[in-house]
Amino acid sequence: MLREAREIQAPLPFPAWSAGSCQYGRSESGAVSPCVGGRLHINIFSLSPFLPLAVAAFILAADANLFVKDLDDSFKEDRKDDIWLVDVSMMFYAPWCGHCKKLEPVWNEVGKEISSLGSPVKVGKMDATSYSSIASEFGVRGYPTIKLLKGDLAYNYRGPRTKDDIIEFANRVAGPIIRPLPSQQMFEHVQKRHRVLFLYIGGESPLKEKYIEVASELIVYTYFFSASEEVLPEHMKLPEMPAVLVFKDGSYFVYDEYEDGDLSSWVNRERFQSYLTIDGFTLYELGDTGKLVVIAVIDDKNFSAEHTKLKSIIQDVAKHYRDHFHRNFQFGHMDGNEYINSLLMDDLKTPAIVVLNTSNQEYFVPPKSIESTEDMVHFIYEILEGVVEAHGGDGILQRIKRIIYDAKSTVGSVFKSSPLLGCFLFGLPLGVISIMCYGICTADTDGGSDEAEASKKETPGQELTDEGTEEEETSEQPVDLQSGAQEQKTIVEKKKD
């Protein structure tokens, strides 16, 4: 397309060059052709082979800025008038922040699509280094942080950083907390669209007030609806009214205050499907449920019997033993063992089964291989009874082990990704330290030998000096005796006279 359209017309931002009554640009060899009607014909390929790329990049950047607004300190006062989806990040001012750079193109796509859908949500971004007081006010502790601001409320986004997930979060939180379902057709449509949804059936009651309160807190995770009993299919018979139900896994389950406890805790536990594909984000969210997570660690690309069998066993337990385990266990599988190994600080071979306690970082592994659903059920009952040994934990020794493991992993990853950079980063400081230590040790040794040689040289001289002194004293002693004898003789002679 660009090759066929070799010339573009651009309005002149300055008066065109004149030559008599006709306006000219440069000749074709000079990359600018004659000007017609105040417009300049530019041969973009004769200017530079990279100019089309630069023009395209400029257009994309300008297009992104139309849908994502750069926010400043005035945003603090103006934000209450609208619903804002804000990425408070350092993506443009911290080139070392890989997560921010990775989110930037996704964020631009989010702004573009939300605008095209006619959503009331406005998308913006803020540099937390320039406006640290505002970032601190909203409780920003890491980068990038995504929040939806709705009036005086701020909702944190903690899901996967993909365009579809972020847009679903924005649309869910920006809408009404409780969505009414006026008809059975609407109910069926919603049920097909959402994998998990909560529904309140009945009129005004204390349970509905509690339901609204819980929905206000957990709308960031799932959808909440309300309807009358006539909206439900005829085959659904509720034991009492009003009631709260969760629809998932092709079925529905009714909240029982006596068996399930607090409504908020029940919603937090039931907002996940019985069986999940688990990753780092999912494990992070499952930490709020208080459940143990049963994971089949497999390779999704490996279709051997060992991998598919473990996955089928976990799915079977999640489906057919829900009444036994759903309050205490969450089931799923994880593709690959890299993440789980970093979490356990161990080398877990695939395929394998591991049960994680996300609250205290303990984990359980089967003492023997799991060959059937019955083996898996027996293993879970042993965990509940406290028979199986727990590994890991969050004690002092485990924390020290974590620090050492993280340091070792960081060094290894640097050398693996860039050996030359690793040698420079770690080799240069070690080399400098080695030279300093060698210099200190060598200086001490040389100084000691010099002092020893100096003392040796001084010692013979001292001996000679002492001997010379003794000889002088010895030679001086007879002289003193002779003079004394002479004086005594003189005195005797004087007495005789």
Side-chain angles (χ1 to χ4, degrees):
M1 293 292 293
L2 288 175
R3 283 289 177 184
E4 294 175 359
R6 289 179 176 269
E7 292 186 345
I8 62 173
Q9 287 188 335
L12 289 174
F14 47 83
W17 305 321
S18 299
S21 60
C22 184
Q23 296 176 328
Y24 292 92
R26 296 196 194 119
S27 64
E28 187 175 352
S29 60
V32 181
S33 54
C35 197
V36 179
R39 294 183 177 271
L40 182 66
H41 294 265
I42 305 176
N43 190 325
I44 59 176
F45 287 97
S46 60
L47 282 172
S48 170
F50 300 104
L51 186 57
L53 297 177
V55 172
F58 175 78
I59 293 173
L60 290 175
D63 186 53
N65 290 331
L66 292 174
F67 306 109
V68 178
K69 184 177 180 181
D70 285 303
L71 303 176
D72 53 24
D73 51 2
S74 63
F75 168 72
K76 183 178 178 180
E77 301 297 331
D78 300 337
R79 72 176 184 86
K80 296 183 180 180
D81 298 332
D82 298 295
I83 300 173
W84 282 92
L85 182 64
V86 185
D87 170 31
V88 188
S89 74
M90 300 170 62
M91 63 170 65
F92 296 114
Y93 303 98
W96 49 265
C97 180
H99 296 293
C100 298
K101 293 171 64 177
K102 186 177 180 181
L103 179 61
E104 180 182 351
V106 176
W107 197 248
N108 292 333
E109 288 294 323
V110 168
K112 185 175 181 180
E113 184 157 337
I114 285 182
S115 177
S116 65
L117 293 174
S119 172
V121 178
K122 295 184 177 181
V123 182
K125 60 179 183 287
M126 178 179 289
D127 176 19
T129 59
S130 299
Y131 307 102
S132 57
S133 60
I134 298 179
S136 178
E137 180 181 342
F138 289 121
V140 176
R141 298 180 181 178
Y143 306 105
T145 295
I146 298 175
K147 290 178 176 286
L148 188 137
L149 308 178
K150 186 179 178 182
D152 294 328
L153 301 176
Y155 298 91
N156 291 323
Y157 176 72
R158 301 193 301 178
R161 289 168 185 161
T162 63
K163 183 188 72 171
D164 293 338
D165 288 307
I166 294 174
I167 291 175
E168 184 188 10
F169 163 80
N171 292 331
R172 181 173 66 246
V173 179
I177 295 176
I178 308 294
R179 290 169 164 84
L181 297 177
S183 64
Q184 191 172 113
Q185 290 78 9
M186 181 64 71
F187 169 72
E188 293 174 353
H189 170 75
V190 166
Q191 195 174 8
K192 292 177 181 178
R193 184 176 178 183
H194 302 294
R195 292 172 292 183
V196 178
L197 64 92
F198 291 88
L199 178 64
Y200 173 83
I201 301 294
E204 298 297 328
S205 68
L207 180 60
K208 185 174 183 179
E209 294 178 2
K210 183 64 176 177
Y211 182 73
I212 295 173
E213 180 183 341
V214 172
S216 301
E217 177 187 356
L218 300 179
I219 187 65
V220 294
Y221 300 120
T222 188
Y223 287 89
F224 295 87
F225 298 89
S226 65
S228 61
E229 190 174 8
E230 291 75 17
V231 170
L232 297 177
E234 295 181 359
H235 68 275
M236 290 184 60
K237 300 298 180 181
L238 300 179
E240 60 180 2
M241 295 285 291
V244 177
L245 300 84
V246 58
F247 291 84
K248 64 178 184 178
D249 304 323
S251 184
Y252 70 94
F253 308 95
V254 183
Y255 166 68
D256 188 330
E257 183 178 0
Y258 298 102
E259 292 186 4
D260 299 317
D262 181 61
L263 179 61
S264 178
S265 300
W266 179 77
V267 171
N268 209 16
R269 291 195 304 266
E270 296 293 340
R271 62 188 176 90
F272 296 97
Q273 293 177 283
S274 299
Y275 184 88
L276 300 171
T277 300
I278 297 175
D279 56 14
F281 283 108
T282 311
L283 272 181
Y284 181 75
E285 291 189 4
L286 286 171
D288 296 334
T289 65
K291 292 184 178 182
L292 301 180
V293 187
V294 183
I295 305 175
V297 185
I298 61 174
D299 183 359
D300 279 339
K301 298 179 181 179
N302 191 330
F303 299 101
S304 64
E306 292 180 334
H307 290 258
T308 56
K309 182 176 70 175
L310 278 186
K311 183 177 179 180
S312 299
I313 289 173
I314 300 297
Q315 288 175 331
D316 192 45
V317 174
K319 182 177 181 180
H320 296 101
Y321 290 84
R322 170 187 160 80
D323 293 338
H324 298 80
F325 302 133
H326 80 278
R327 288 185 177 88
N328 300 307
F329 292 90
Q330 174 66 52
F331 299 89
H333 80 274
M334 180 176 288
D335 182 20
N337 61 352
E338 183 177 354
Y339 181 83
I340 201 71
N341 284 343
S342 65
L343 199 64
L344 306 182
M345 295 182 290
D346 201 353
D347 187 15
L348 195 68
K349 304 296 183 183
T350 58
I353 295 243
V354 62
V355 180
L356 293 177
N357 187 340
T358 56
S359 62
N360 60 8
Q361 300 180 17
E362 288 184 346
Y363 67 95
F364 306 87
V365 291
K368 61 179 182 179
S369 61
I370 301 296
E371 300 294 337
S372 64
T373 302
E374 289 73 21
D375 291 342
M376 190 69 229
V377 172
H378 180 70
F379 174 55
I380 293 176
Y381 275 123
E382 286 183 336
I383 293 176
L384 291 174
E385 295 169 0
V387 177
V388 182
E389 179 184 2
H391 303 273
D394 55 358
I396 296 177
L397 293 179
Q398 285 295 319
R399 294 179 184 180
I400 296 174
K401 183 179 178 181
R402 168 62 62 186
I403 293 173
I404 297 173
Y405 180 85
D406 289 342
K408 183 179 177 181
S409 300
T410 301
V411 173
S413 62
V414 170
F415 275 99
K416 185 177 180 180
S417 60
S418 180
L420 293 178
L421 180 61
C423 292
F424 177 78
L425 291 177
F426 299 102
L428 183 61
L430 290 176
V432 172
I433 294 173
S434 300
I435 293 172
M436 292 175 62
C437 294
Y438 176 78
I440 293 172
C441 296
T442 305
D444 291 342
T445 304
D446 294 343
S449 61
D450 292 341
E451 292 176 359
E453 291 178 1
S455 62
K456 287 181 180 180
K457 291 180 180 179
E458 292 175 358
T459 302
Q462 184 68 32
E463 292 175 354
L464 292 174
T465 304
D466 295 342
E467 291 176 358
T469 305
E470 290 177 358
E471 290 177 357
E472 289 176 359
E473 292 177 355
T474 305
S475 61
E476 290 176 357
Q477 187 175 1
V479 174
D480 293 339
L481 292 174
Q482 291 177 4
S483 60
Q486 185 67 31
E487 290 178 357
Q488 188 176 4
K489 185 177 179 180
T490 303
I491 293 171
V492 171
E493 289 177 352
K494 287 182 179 180
K495 286 182 178 182
K496 288 182 180 180
D497 294 340

